[in-house]
Amino acid sequence: MDTYRTIETSAEGLYKDKGSKFISSVYHVDTAEQALKIVADIRKKYYDARHVCYAYMLGAERNEYRVNDDGEPSGTAGKPILGQINSNELTNVLVVVVRYFGGILLGTSGLITAYKSAAADAIANAVVVEKIVETQFRVQFGYQEMSYVMRTLKELQANIIQQIQQETCEIIFAIRNGDIQQMESKFTNVKGVTYGKNNCN
């Protein structure tokens, strides 16, 4: 898999039950630090709310995630929120649900339904996009190899980031992960052409 689904811009949702109000928001995030900063900002904004629960999922492989029940019974808030992220196959997203208590207890099943529904509403209001997972490489070659290298990069639909032409030529480019093997077969053992990952990206 060299694509993943995420959201383009933040969106909000709402769920009400027995006087309790669940205000939900979904955000695009790229790091855990970014997610936690947004949660901290929401806590300040809704300083009088009873609970601020959240879940986030990160990475194209969807293997980094965190849930937080923020004082709700274990498994009744963060987990149902994460469940909605999973059922929509999203990553690099944070969903936060703020609860204002209405005075009537909802019970375990009621809480699970509420957090799940609030998260689902926010996600439904967001624009979901598909992104390509790319890796950056640099290729170095002589002028006589220029046409071969350029033709290969065009075939691979590479995104050329930087071109340097001095005594020898160098191109920094990005290609989708699914095309790396093809690129290696084109550039390996070609006289005058060397390549490697661009570790400065």
Side-chain angles (χ1 to χ4, degrees):
M1 284 290 290
D2 61 358
T3 61
Y4 62 93
R5 283 160 54 87
T6 188
I7 65 156
E8 206 160 43
T9 56
S10 56
E12 294 187 343
L14 181 66
Y15 181 80
K16 294 178 182 177
D17 187 17
K18 295 176 183 171
S20 280
K21 190 160 71 167
F22 298 82
I23 303 163
S24 54
S25 312
V26 59
Y27 304 87
H28 177 88
V29 291
D30 293 309
T31 63
E33 291 76 19
Q34 196 181 348
L36 296 175
K37 169 75 168 61
I38 291 170
V39 172
D41 290 343
I42 289 173
R43 286 191 195 281
K44 287 177 193 167
K45 181 179 176 182
Y46 297 100
Y47 64 92
D48 55 342
R50 177 70 70 91
H51 304 281
V52 177
C53 307
Y54 65 89
Y56 63 73
M57 174 80 70
L58 297 172
E61 302 296 321
R62 305 181 70 247
N63 54 12
E64 184 185 347
Y65 61 89
R66 183 173 172 182
V67 299
N68 189 303
D69 293 318
D70 193 37
E72 294 282 32
S74 179
T76 62
K79 209 170 173 183
I81 296 169
L82 183 67
Q84 289 307 298
I85 295 172
N86 277 325
S87 66
N88 285 278
E89 297 178 339
L90 298 174
T91 192
N92 287 16
V93 294
L94 161 73
V95 179
V96 184
V97 180
V98 176
R99 181 189 182 189
Y100 282 93
F101 184 52
I104 301 172
L105 294 173
L106 302 182
T108 301
S109 62
L111 286 172
I112 291 170
T113 298
Y115 282 102
K116 175 184 171 182
S117 301
D121 193 40
I123 291 169
N125 292 329
V127 177
V128 175
V129 292
E130 190 168 80
K131 299 273 191 179
I132 295 168
V133 185
E134 293 183 322
T135 300
Q136 279 191 25
F137 289 87
R138 62 175 67 225
V139 59
Q140 292 163 317
F141 51 94
Y143 282 92
Q144 59 270 36
E145 287 82 38
M146 170 80 80
S147 61
Y148 176 80
V149 170
M150 296 308 290
R151 188 169 66 249
T152 300
L153 293 179
K154 189 177 179 183
E155 282 172 16
L156 294 166
Q157 297 182 327
N159 172 25
I160 293 176
I161 295 159
Q162 188 180 7
Q163 280 183 271
I164 303 157
Q165 294 181 358
Q166 294 173 340
E167 288 176 21
T168 58
C169 306
E170 181 175 288
I171 295 177
I172 296 171
F173 63 95
I175 57 169
R176 61 189 297 162
N177 285 2
D179 292 333
I180 290 174
Q181 204 171 352
Q182 187 185 348
M183 181 270 296
E184 288 174 339
S185 71
K186 294 276 189 182
F187 286 158
T188 301
N189 299 326
V190 176
K191 192 178 177 185
V193 176
T194 59
Y195 73 93
K197 278 190 182 178
N198 180 36
N199 296 318
C200 301
N201 62 331

